[in-house]
Amino acid sequence: MKKECVAMLLAGGQGSRLYVLTENMAKPAVSFGGKFRIIDFPLSNCTNSGIDTVGVLTQYRPLELNSYIGNGQPWELDRLAGGVHILPPYQSADGATWYKGTANAIYQNIGFVDMYDPEYVAVLSGDHIYKMDYAAMLRRHKDCGADCTISVMEVPWHEAGRFGIMNVDERDFITEFEEKPKEPKSNLASMGIYIFTWRKLRRYLIEDEADPDSDNDFGKNVIPAMLRAGEKMAAYRFEGYWKDVGTLDSLWDANMDMLLPGSGLNLLDRSWPIFGRTPSCPPAFVGTNADVGNSVVAKGCRILGEVKNTVLSYNTTVGEGASVCYSVVMPGAVIESGARVEYAIVGENCHIGKDAAVGLPPECAEDPDKWGIAVLGPGSVVAKGEVVAAGTMRSKNHREVKA
């Protein structure tokens, strides 16, 4: 069945900068916001934007992500014609290769895209937290007759050197692309979200694959090649909330943004819902002596202690006299009585024993330069009375290391 636009969602990244949180799962499968996972955001954007055919390209430790996506029912993507499809690397007559880069990942799935014979292809990332109407971006692409449209947003000038920067003319057509420039000419940063006219992209993917010196990457190779050839490249300005949660600090920041009025991250907006696969849980229980303020509390939580400025995921427990502040607690974690958790990310199914301490406020650090978020990987155990210092990571199978 022919589709106007097919989305290709790049979800195979290792997420190495999330360290212990992604030792056994792909980055898009990491828990976020109490009841979601990171991949819920681009999948929900597709549904809300009217895109009903999505290829999810997986690679690194995909088991949990594949299981989570399933048949796509939570995002209304369980369709006979279209729907969501998991696309791992596969073996062909020429042999088997991992996805070598973002462009190669799409190249290896040209056959999948061709099945739907689309006019346009949206290439999306699986590790960003944002709400975007891809239909509006597609209208911009069609209205100006572009071959490629790249979503951009203005960033502070002092941060522009960390991004791929788009230089544009007075009509917002892209004239130059600079990857992490030392002296940027613009502060329009690429968000890594593209819409291509498929027949044009298909040709460039084949040419890029034939180049033995290519990194097979959109930002490094395909986009510059299209610019050099004089293809029509348009910028689409995005002004909403967007955050790349590829680092521990940015993941913590994005969760805290849920608690900050005016941050732009509003998950209570019913006009643009974020869908997800949440297990069946009883209602949250808040005990007589509990003290909860400015926090997200998901279903299945049992709170007997103090929870302040914290995102508490489903099925977590905070014991009597325990205190959890400025932290992100992922599903199934248990924090026993008397324990203290501050400025921390607590992974799924962690167990923090009685009177243990994890993390520390920055103002209490002996050396502010060495302070950081404390991180417990999924399944980690902190013994009774044990201390996990600020800026320290601990995984289920390894000793503590500095972040």
Side-chain angles (χ1 to χ4, degrees):
M1 179 179 178
K2 183 177 177 61
K3 299 287 184 179
E4 181 185 34
C5 183
V6 168
M8 299 295 277
L9 179 51
L10 300 168
Q14 179 178 351
S16 59
R17 292 179 299 163
L18 291 181
Y19 301 99
V20 295
L21 295 179
T22 51
E23 281 187 332
N24 294 297
M25 73 174 75
K27 179 166 52 174
V30 171
S31 175
F32 180 85
K35 63 164 289 184
F36 305 107
R37 295 181 187 249
I38 296 170
I39 199 168
D40 288 334
F41 287 80
L43 285 176
S44 298
N45 287 339
C46 287
T47 296
N48 292 327
S49 301
I51 297 176
D52 64 6
T53 305
V54 184
V56 181
L57 288 74
T58 63
Q59 180 162 279
Y60 172 80
R61 293 197 178 273
L63 180 61
E64 187 157 356
L65 182 62
N66 294 354
S67 176
Y68 180 75
I69 294 172
N71 67 352
Q73 184 272 331
W75 307 273
E76 299 181 3
L77 292 171
D78 52 335
R79 298 168 180 263
L80 292 176
V84 66
H85 300 260
I86 305 296
L87 302 173
Y90 60 90
Q91 184 167 352
S92 66
D94 298 325
T97 60
W98 291 111
Y99 293 144
K100 295 178 288 184
T102 53
N104 173 258
I106 307 298
Y107 169 83
Q108 288 199 38
N109 289 284
I110 283 177
F112 168 79
V113 180
D114 281 345
M115 278 199 312
Y116 295 100
D117 189 25
E119 295 294 325
Y120 311 102
V121 169
V123 178
L124 314 172
S125 173
D127 53 5
H128 298 160
I129 301 297
Y130 68 115
K131 297 180 180 182
M132 176 186 280
D133 186 355
Y134 303 138
M137 183 175 174
L138 180 58
R139 283 195 297 273
R140 158 74 173 157
H141 181 85
K142 292 192 289 187
D143 289 347
C144 66
D147 300 302
C148 170
T149 299
I150 300 174
S151 183
V152 299
M153 65 184 303
E154 293 186 7
V155 298
W157 278 95
H158 68 275
E159 294 184 8
R162 298 194 298 110
F163 296 91
I165 295 296
M166 301 293 166
N167 301 321
V168 299
D169 63 16
E170 65 280 357
R171 296 181 298 162
D172 273 350
F173 284 110
I174 298 167
T175 59
E176 186 180 8
F177 172 72
E178 297 179 285
E179 181 67 28
K180 298 181 179 179
K182 292 182 178 179
E183 297 182 1
K185 303 172 187 175
S186 160
N187 66 336
L188 286 179
S190 169
M191 299 167 62
I193 300 166
Y194 315 109
I195 289 180
F196 293 94
T197 299
W198 173 237
R199 60 179 175 77
K200 187 77 69 169
L201 174 62
R202 194 180 192 281
R203 176 165 65 83
Y204 276 92
L205 290 175
I206 293 171
E207 292 175 359
D208 180 71
E209 188 66 22
D211 180 359
D213 296 322
S214 176
D215 291 318
N216 306 121
D217 183 83
F218 279 108
K220 293 179 182 178
N221 307 109
V222 173
I223 301 299
M226 294 183 76
L227 276 171
R228 287 194 300 270
E231 306 291 0
K232 206 167 187 179
M233 314 280 283
Y236 173 75
R237 292 178 182 258
F238 178 72
E239 297 180 350
Y241 181 93
W242 176 86
K243 192 178 287 286
D244 181 340
V245 288
T247 67
L248 294 171
D249 284 346
S250 63
L251 179 64
W252 183 87
D253 285 342
N255 275 275
M256 292 299 106
D257 284 343
M258 290 178 59
L259 312 176
L260 183 65
S263 70
L265 182 57
N266 178 14
L267 300 187
L268 301 177
D269 179 8
R270 296 187 179 183
S271 68
W272 197 271
I274 301 299
F275 306 101
R277 187 186 298 279
T278 305
S280 178
C281 305
F285 173 78
V286 179
T288 303
N289 298 321
D291 183 8
V292 181
N294 195 44
S295 296
V296 168
V297 178
K299 293 188 297 183
C301 290
R302 184 169 181 265
I303 306 172
L304 305 178
E306 179 188 49
V307 176
K308 295 291 179 67
N309 301 300
T310 286
V311 174
L312 211 60
S313 300
Y314 58 83
N315 289 340
T316 58
T317 299
V318 178
E320 186 97 30
S323 176
V324 186
C325 300
Y326 291 99
S327 293
V328 179
V329 183
M330 295 183 176
V334 174
I335 301 167
E336 291 197 29
S337 61
R340 175 182 53 77
V341 178
E342 299 179 276
Y343 290 86
I345 298 175
V346 178
E348 295 186 32
N349 300 313
C350 287
H351 193 111
I352 300 173
K354 291 183 179 180
D355 301 318
V358 177
L360 194 70
E363 62 270 16
C364 296
E366 292 183 9
D367 185 349
D369 293 334
K370 294 182 179 180
W371 180 87
I373 301 297
V375 183
L376 301 180
S380 297
V381 175
V382 180
K384 177 181 179 181
E386 192 176 2
V387 174
V388 178
T392 298
M393 293 184 298
R394 170 179 291 191
S395 72
K396 180 178 179 180
N397 301 314
H398 298 82
R399 294 192 304 175
E400 292 182 6
V401 292
K402 280 291 182 182

